[in-house]
Amino acid sequence: MATNEQVQTRQEAIKELIKHYPVENQDMLVDLLKQHYAIETNQSVVSRDLRELGVTKHTVQGALVYELKGVDVTKEILRLGVLDIAHNESIIVLKTLGGLAPFVGDFLDQHHNTGILATLAGENVVFVTPHSTKQIQQVFETVCQLVHFKKIKK
């Protein structure tokens, strides 16, 4: 019998595989778990995991594939599209993938009570001006949270 930790690890792996691969059936998922995570399991266990995770099948590009319930497309675009965020004493700068800066700027403009006075978006850079430069660190942290940005230390 699998421990809670093993079940959680397997289910997290299943979620990652479904996010990144067009998984069409449970046997394919069993194979992917073995290939990518060295997790040995069988179809009946995967079936139970899919049910517990609320995974459903949808038609994507003509194929019926598994999809996670409640995937927030905006969150995923922000998470993948914002490459870096930095600030100085007066302004916050977000670097994005090409063409995504207007999307990110509009997203930030829609949020109120964030300490943001205004945004200005180009092709791949968004400038964020805070209401007060005295609160630049707080606004910086708020912006990072809003766009789901986590600085990876190198």
Side-chain angles (χ1 to χ4, degrees):
M1 181 136 194
T3 66
N4 284 342
E5 185 177 323
Q6 290 170 322
V7 171
Q8 185 176 2
T9 299
R10 186 180 60 243
Q11 289 183 352
E12 288 301 315
I14 288 171
K15 287 193 271 188
E16 286 301 309
L17 290 169
I18 289 172
K19 284 181 191 174
H20 294 96
Y21 295 95
V23 181
E24 296 181 29
N25 58 55
Q26 293 172 5
D27 291 330
M28 181 180 181
L29 195 49
V30 169
D31 291 341
L32 287 170
L33 283 166
K34 185 175 182 179
Q35 287 173 353
H36 293 276
Y37 294 94
I39 295 174
E40 296 277 345
T41 191
N42 60 46
Q43 177 273 327
S44 64
V45 171
V46 167
S47 177
R48 182 175 59 244
D49 287 338
L50 292 172
R51 192 170 42 257
E52 288 176 10
L53 293 170
V55 174
T56 57
K57 275 193 155 183
H58 295 278
T59 303
V60 176
Q61 299 173 4
L64 202 56
V65 298
Y66 290 115
E67 285 191 355
L68 296 171
K69 182 171 106 176
V71 172
D72 184 342
V73 176
T74 299
K75 179 179 177 180
E76 286 299 303
I77 291 170
L78 292 167
R79 188 178 66 76
L80 297 171
V82 176
L83 304 176
D84 195 22
I85 304 177
H87 70 87
N88 61 16
E89 298 81 25
S90 60
I91 196 164
I92 300 164
V93 179
L94 291 85
K95 294 180 182 177
T96 72
L97 290 174
L100 284 181
F103 175 83
V104 174
D106 287 344
F107 175 81
L108 291 172
D109 286 339
Q110 292 173 11
H111 289 82
H112 304 288
N113 301 320
T114 57
I116 296 173
L117 177 63
T119 64
L120 177 65
E123 179 72 14
N124 61 350
V125 174
V126 179
F127 295 108
V128 178
T129 304
H131 279 287
S132 169
T133 57
K134 293 176 184 172
Q135 296 182 334
I136 189 78
Q137 184 63 38
Q138 181 182 355
V139 175
F140 171 78
E141 291 170 8
T142 299
V143 168
C144 287
Q145 288 176 348
L146 286 171
V147 299
H148 309 284
F149 181 80
K150 296 178 183 171
K151 187 83 166 180
I152 298 173
K153 301 199 194 288
K154 295 179 182 177

